[in-house]
């Protein structure tokens, strides 16, 4: 049964899942939320209307981390996303939570505040992102977080890690496919990357 992914190319959580699919060249039908009617189908499947959403046969799987674990279990490829060893798997899940909760969400907080145009809370959200950046890494999280609050020269290891992630073909593809939507970025997408 073919997989179907409801996603938007510019969405960080969607890029997280797209990278997992592309790393293993897993075939799937891409329902791009930019296309007419796709959002209505998404809402019918998942009334909370957050994306990405994966449909696998008669199953609807939501939440990017759960989708990736589902792919690892039911559609494994050469790249495994959850290590076999339980303690190492726990470390991977911990990092995944840290990326989502403290980098991705902090970055999204700054973006949402920019959309609401409330500068005070924007500074607060930016500061939260800055505090977590030194300790955390994940491709879409660091990609967009650096746009919100550039990773400074004081963090060469983190900058180098972000550069390596951007050079990875699966994530480079995600960046390319989202490029045409950069005008959606309320803080102004920087002229780099
Ligand atoms: N915890 C969710 C977060 C998903 C999420 O926040 N997706 C954003 C796009 S990056 C979204 O659906 N935004 C639309 C909205 O909030 O209405 C996951 O990991 O999949």
């Amino acid at each position: 049964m073919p997989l179907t992914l409801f996603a938007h190319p510019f969405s960080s959580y969607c890029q997280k899942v797209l990278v997992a699919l592309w790393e293993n060249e897993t075939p799937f039908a891409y329902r791009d939320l930019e296309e007419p009617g796709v959002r209505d189908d998404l809402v019918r499947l998942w009334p909370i209307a957050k994306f990405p959403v994966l449909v696998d046969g008669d199953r609807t799987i939501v939440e990017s981390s759960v989708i990736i674990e589902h792919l690892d279990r039911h559609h494994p490829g050469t790249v495994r996303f959850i290590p076999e060893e339980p303690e190492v798997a726990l470390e991977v899940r911990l990092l995944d939570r840290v990326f989502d909760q403290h980098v991705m969400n902090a970055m999204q907080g700054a973006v949402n505040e920019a959309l609401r145009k409330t500068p005070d809370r924007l500074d607060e959200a930016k500061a939260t992102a800055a505090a977590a950046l030194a300790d955390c890494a994940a491709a879409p999280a660091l990609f967009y977080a650096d746009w919100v609050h550039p990773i400074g020269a004081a963090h060469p290891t983190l900058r180098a890690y972000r550069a390596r992630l951007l050079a990875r073909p699966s994530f480079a593809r995600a960046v390319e496919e989202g490029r045409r939507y950069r005008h959606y970025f309320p803080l102004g997408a920087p002229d780099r990357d």
Side-chain angles (χ1 to χ4, degrees):
M1 185 72 76
L3 298 170
T4 301
L5 185 74
F6 289 76
H8 190 284
F10 202 55
S11 144
S12 50
Y13 281 109
C14 295
Q15 290 178 354
K16 181 175 156 185
V17 168
L18 286 165
V19 164
L21 286 161
W22 288 333
E23 278 289 331
N24 281 331
E25 296 176 22
T26 307
F28 67 101
Y30 194 153
R31 301 288 315 277
D32 184 338
L33 284 153
E34 199 70 25
E35 301 296 328
V38 176
R39 187 179 162 80
D40 293 342
D41 291 346
L42 171 89
V43 172
R44 268 190 286 279
L45 286 167
W46 183 228
I48 289 175
K50 294 273 185 192
F51 38 90
V53 168
L54 183 77
V55 178
D56 185 359
D58 57 4
R59 293 185 67 182
T60 297
I61 303 110
V62 300
E63 290 292 322
S64 57
S65 305
V66 178
I67 293 172
I68 292 172
E69 289 222 25
H70 176 90
L71 292 171
D72 202 48
R73 190 167 304 173
H74 298 287
H75 304 273
T78 50
V79 178
R80 298 309 301 265
F81 304 112
I82 305 292
E84 293 292 332
E85 217 279 296
E87 286 306 312
V88 187
L90 214 53
E91 283 289 313
V92 168
R93 291 189 177 97
L94 170 65
L95 286 171
D96 175 70
R97 293 296 74 219
V98 170
F99 299 148
D100 279 9
Q101 301 296 326
H102 304 297
V103 182
M104 206 96 100
N105 289 353
M107 176 275 295
Q108 278 192 340
V111 168
N112 290 340
E113 292 309 319
L115 288 169
R116 286 187 209 112
K117 298 192 184 347
T118 53
D120 290 351
R121 291 185 59 197
L122 174 60
D123 285 346
E124 200 179 297
K126 279 185 176 180
T128 310
L133 284 177
D135 299 320
C136 306
L142 290 179
F143 175 63
Y144 287 116
D146 184 63
W147 285 8
V148 171
H149 186 98
I151 303 168
H155 302 291
T157 307
L158 195 58
R159 270 155 64 129
Y161 183 43
R162 182 180 182 276
R164 284 201 304 280
L165 289 167
L166 276 162
R168 210 168 162 92
S170 58
F171 190 60
R173 180 175 173 180
V175 169
E176 272 326 300
E177 295 203 2
R179 191 176 293 278
R180 64 189 184 280
Y181 300 109
R182 287 190 177 194
H183 56 282
Y184 287 173
F185 201 72
L187 299 162
D191 187 20
R192 54 184 162 86
D193 298 324

